[in-house]
Amino acid sequence: MGKNLTMKSVRAMKDLTQAELAEKVGVSRQTINLIEKGDYNPTINLCLRIAKVLETSLDTLFWEDDNHEETKLG
Amino acid sequence: MKKPNWDERQTFVNYRLSHHALMIVFGLLLVNALIKSNFEISWADPISETIILIVIPGMYYITRSIFNDAYIGTKDTIRKNIISFLVLALIFGLSSIFVYDGPYIDGGLTQSTAPLIASGFFVYIAFLHIIKRLISTTE
């Protein structure tokens, strides 16, 4: 699993720090950090909570299409 | 709904580490039983022996939990934990002064070493929290 740069950029656009997002979602800052680094696979419940807080869709945040994979692998 | 103290990742990490710690307890109990039955060695008083058999897997669990950011829940603070463990270390350290009668008797650890071991364990946990805090602030 690669880095979740989309989530990082959406969070930055909302002007939220990792700690602020973690507080709103109800998890630790380290968990948000690990999700963004691609070191932790969140459950669907947590994905939904993050998507709601960031006011975006699950697809936008977590869907990895082939082009995205190629970009990451390249 | 009440907010859980640990998030899902922390809960998962803690479950996994608890399982490892349980396996370590089983292993230590087995080794201890083999030593005692085959070599007839009493290496410690039963109280000290129990404390050591608890402290070793406890150290494993707590060390890994702290460094995996899973020990401190989403509501707890690291400072509160450090103070709590230092207070516990102080209580056990002070209580050892009143009961201490040397480290060994008949080649085994005495009962009076038990509070010292417990005190050392709590100092170790507080120290780990401090190290973790220093690492987190430099990240």
Side-chain angles (χ1 to χ4, degrees):
Chain A
M1 197 173 74
K3 286 184 179 181
N4 193 334
L5 297 175
T6 313
M7 181 174 147
K8 193 173 182 177
S9 59
V10 172
R11 176 178 60 76
M13 280 195 302
K14 293 277 172 191
D15 207 20
L16 288 171
T17 62
Q18 285 185 347
E20 285 165 347
L21 176 61
E23 172 71 26
K24 284 175 187 281
V25 174
V27 296
S28 66
R29 185 194 63 79
Q30 290 83 4
T31 300
I32 298 293
N33 184 37
L34 290 171
I35 294 169
E36 288 185 354
K37 279 164 64 181
D39 291 338
Y40 174 65
N41 254 333
T43 62
I44 191 72
N45 282 332
L46 181 53
C47 291
L48 282 168
R49 294 211 305 271
I50 293 169
K52 277 179 188 171
V53 169
L54 294 178
E55 294 171 324
T56 186
S57 67
L58 281 178
D59 277 10
T60 310
L61 286 179
F62 298 105
W63 188 258
E64 292 181 348
D65 57 27
D66 292 341
N67 293 334
H68 184 52
E69 282 295 305
E70 279 168 17
T71 311
K72 281 190 301 181
L73 293 171
Chain B
M1 195 176 79
K2 195 184 172 192
K3 197 172 151 188
N5 199 25
W6 284 285
D7 66 36
E8 59 175 45
R9 181 193 62 84
Q10 292 176 315
T11 307
F12 172 73
V13 168
N14 284 328
Y15 281 160
R16 198 184 55 194
L17 294 178
S18 306
H19 178 74
H20 294 172
L22 184 67
M23 292 300 119
I24 293 171
V25 170
F26 289 159
L28 288 173
L29 287 174
L30 190 68
V31 168
N32 189 36
L34 288 172
I35 289 172
K36 284 186 142 182
S37 60
N38 291 330
F39 302 103
E40 292 180 1
I41 297 168
S42 179
W43 56 273
D45 172 86
I47 297 288
S48 297
E49 190 180 298
T50 307
I51 293 284
I52 289 168
L53 293 179
I54 291 169
V55 159
I56 293 170
M59 283 172 79
Y60 168 81
Y61 172 81
I62 290 171
T63 306
R64 291 211 56 196
S65 185
I66 287 172
F67 284 98
N68 277 294
D69 294 307
Y71 192 79
I72 306 285
T74 51
K75 288 179 185 173
D76 300 328
T77 60
I78 205 163
R79 184 178 293 178
K80 197 172 82 179
N81 270 270
I82 292 170
I83 293 167
S84 306
F85 284 116
L86 286 178
V87 168
L88 278 171
L90 191 68
I91 291 167
F92 277 89
L94 287 175
S95 69
S96 72
I97 293 169
F98 300 108
V99 294
Y100 193 71
D101 58 356
Y104 301 108
I105 187 164
D106 299 331
L109 289 172
T110 59
Q111 187 176 336
S112 64
T113 54
L116 269 182
I117 294 165
S119 178
F121 180 53
F122 293 128
V123 169
Y124 172 76
I125 300 169
F127 181 70
L128 282 185
H129 279 305
I130 293 165
I131 297 283
K132 180 62 191 165
R133 186 171 189 170
L134 288 174
I135 292 169
S136 298
T137 48
T138 53
E139 273 176 359

